[in-house]
Amino acid sequence: HDHHRSIWFAHHKVLGIDFWSDTTDAIIRQEQWLAYQNGPDEASMAVELGWYDGHDPAPLLKQKLVTAIMPADGDGVLVEIQTTFNSVAESLELGQTNFGLLAVRVAGSISAVFGDGVLTGSNGLQTETKLFEKTSAWMDYSGSVDTDVTEGVTYFDHPENATYPSKWHVRDDGWMGASVCGDAPIILYRDRPTTWRYMIHAHSGQANKQIADRLAEDFGRRPSFMIQPAKKSHHKNQIVRASNE
């Protein structure tokens, strides 16, 4: 599907409007950069996004997104994602659906249908049949990327997320997503921000439950991000961990 591209935010029923498929007029547009910074332990950036229905010049939602990239053990990479939503109106409903909010699609060779890939949940179960719409603290998709080369990605839910451990929409054709509205709608508010946190681990080899469980524990203890005015920088904002407040 054209709308399945690597890692993306989307939702099938934003006030009943399709922000998921490739046949919709709705669009998610970057409004402004909020912060960007480098460091020896992580590089991070923050942006503000607007969700537009394709007809009204005003957005339905405002989304603040912070992404940090960090080295992991070996040759792995961690991508930590924190996203905060506010409705532009007083309130807005994200309707009940499996399609949303953060989805990951792997390369065809890593998928179970088009390659030799394997889905693995935090409970140790494998395959779409055993994992579809089941709760899991993390989900892994691993498979061949070249001759005798196996790599994969582990996608972590965060304990502070309202639906943790989320039910997952996973498919043998190559994608996985924590379904925040799989069981019920969620109401977003103008004056009460709603935040979700996730992490992606790009790794070599097949899924490793011991490593994934350790990373999940570390992620659960890690403070959330804050965007605040910079004190000694030419940038107007800086990204800090909440414990630095």
Side-chain angles (χ1 to χ4, degrees):
H1 301 291
D2 287 345
H3 57 277
H4 289 171
R5 296 186 180 97
S6 188
I7 302 172
W8 74 99
F9 281 100
H11 197 279
H12 190 50
K13 296 179 180 179
V14 179
L15 204 63
I17 299 167
D18 178 10
F19 276 83
W20 181 268
S21 75
D22 54 351
T23 60
T24 178
D25 293 329
I27 189 171
I28 303 170
R29 182 184 306 150
Q30 181 172 316
E31 307 281 28
Q32 62 175 319
W33 282 100
L34 299 176
Y36 173 83
Q37 60 199 46
N38 243 333
D41 299 319
E42 67 182 35
S44 56
M45 50 192 150
V47 297
E48 183 177 286
L49 308 172
W51 290 47
Y52 294 82
D53 67 6
H55 305 286
D56 192 326
L60 297 172
L61 292 174
K62 291 286 190 177
Q63 177 185 6
K64 288 185 178 178
L65 174 64
V66 182
T67 303
I69 302 173
M70 299 162 279
D73 294 345
D75 296 326
V77 175
L78 297 174
V79 181
E80 186 173 340
I81 299 165
Q82 177 178 304
T83 187
T84 301
F85 286 86
N86 289 84
S87 172
V88 173
E90 184 175 349
S91 64
L92 176 148
E93 182 184 86
L94 298 181
Q96 184 175 356
T97 177
N98 277 334
F99 296 100
L101 185 68
L102 177 70
V104 175
R105 187 173 183 103
V106 298
S109 65
I110 297 178
S111 75
V113 170
F114 305 108
D116 60 2
V118 178
L119 278 162
T120 304
S122 62
N123 52 13
L125 298 178
Q126 295 182 326
T127 74
E128 174 188 326
T129 301
K130 295 180 180 179
L131 294 169
F132 182 74
E133 293 189 332
K134 298 296 191 296
T135 60
S136 190
W138 53 261
M139 191 70 61
D140 185 275
Y141 223 136
S142 297
S144 296
V145 296
D146 204 343
T147 304
D148 297 326
V149 180
T150 297
E151 294 180 343
V153 290
T154 314
Y155 172 170
F156 296 87
D157 200 7
H158 192 278
E160 293 178 359
N161 293 340
T163 55
Y164 176 90
S166 292
K167 292 183 177 179
W168 291 75
H169 193 164
V170 293
R171 294 294 186 186
D172 284 340
D173 65 2
W175 76 276
M176 53 185 174
S179 300
V180 299
C181 297
D183 286 333
I186 289 176
I187 305 299
L188 301 179
Y189 298 92
R190 180 172 56 205
D191 301 322
R192 192 192 318 165
T194 302
T195 297
W196 285 277
R197 297 177 64 190
Y198 299 103
M199 187 171 71
I200 306 293
H201 178 213
H203 60 81
S204 61
Q206 297 285 359
N208 185 310
K209 190 175 186 306
Q210 183 177 2
I211 292 175
D213 286 344
R214 176 175 56 80
L215 289 173
E217 185 177 350
D218 291 344
F219 182 41
R221 291 197 302 261
R222 199 145 54 234
S224 60
F225 293 111
M226 295 175 57
I227 304 169
Q228 63 183 29
K231 296 179 180 179
K232 297 181 180 179
S233 172
H234 62 282
H235 298 294
K236 64 178 181 179
N237 295 314
Q238 63 180 350
I239 303 166
V240 300
R241 295 282 182 176
S243 60
N244 294 337
E245 185 177 8

